[in-house]
Amino acid sequence: MFSLDSVELRHIRCFVRAAKLGNMSRAALESDLSQPAFSLRIQKLETALGVRLLHRNGRGIVPTAAGNALFQQVEPLLKALDEVLTESASLEKRSRAEVVIGIVPTMAYRVTETLSPGNLALFSSPIRIVEGFSGHLKTWLAQGDIDLAICSSISHNASVKQIPVGVEPLELVGSYFGLLSRDGVKLRELEALPLIVGSRQHSIRKRLEKTADENGVKLKTAYEVDGLDAQLRYAAKGLGFAVLPRGTISGFGYSKILKSRIIIEPLIPIHIVVASLPHIENQKPHVAQLRDELVQRVSATLSQHPLAEKIA
């Protein structure tokens, strides 16, 4: 009597292998079973279905009419099932893989403590950190080279999820400020100063020049330098002034040489976000978990400044 409840996947696998190979001994060997145990599984399937599936002859085994019909239907289904199971296992493996976080150099030092093992003790996956300017991070994120980015805000892009974490004003960084006020340097005062800035694709330079144009200020670029440490070295040697987000120099060994002043009238805010791609979060659910933790911790770090509310 037919009994669907008695049909087991392992029995079907043995039948398909036997029908495909035409040899019970070889099929048992490939299944890593003894021949009696292998034969018993096929017998149980035949009993459950109430039909004979295989017929022995002098050359081995061949499917019966019922067996051939079952083989033709079941063999592609098993193949599809194996592909699904393999993909699921691969997805689980990927979900346990490392998470790559891209950070702009100007923020790297300030969020180091946030990313320390002690703070992320409950996060089991390994974390890899890469540094890059915002433009590079946005490209790497789109290409899937990084999972999360801590960078300046990205122009409207429906495929990118951005969560604001803070606003940082730009400041002037140099070794000598002379008579410039300690309370801040007016944007118009930059006209007389030699500036050290990144190349034109860098978001900080774009933001600075856009604000200068809007206020009728003519800036003078003394050095175009791609590299934060190089910009700070040039500034430390007195070759000019770098324009960077607040707090940048605290993470470098120039704090005794370099000083900074907030650029005012107007303030020039840089909006910092944690960016991710929704489809990556679907593949790696723990990326969303880390993103939420980063948002909370980086927001707390950036809010610990008297200007935070003023420029928000």
Side-chain angles (χ1 to χ4, degrees), residues 110 168 246 297-308:
R110 301 183 66 185
E168 292 288 83
R246 177 192 60 197
R297 293 183 180 278
V298 175
S299 296
T301 298
L302 297 184
S303 65
Q304 296 172 0
H305 194 281
L307 279 178

Side-chain angles (χ1 to χ4, degrees), residues 173-184:
V173 176
S175 58
Y176 176 72
F177 281 87
L179 299 177
L180 293 174
S181 172
R182 290 179 174 272
D183 296 327

Side-chain angles (χ1 to χ4, degrees), residues 196-214:
I196 304 167
V197 295
S199 53
R200 292 188 180 277
Q201 74 268 23
H202 291 159
S203 59
I204 291 177
R205 179 171 179 176
K206 288 180 179 179
R207 187 74 176 88
L208 173 65
E209 291 182 341
K210 181 176 184 295
T211 304
D213 288 343
E214 291 171 348

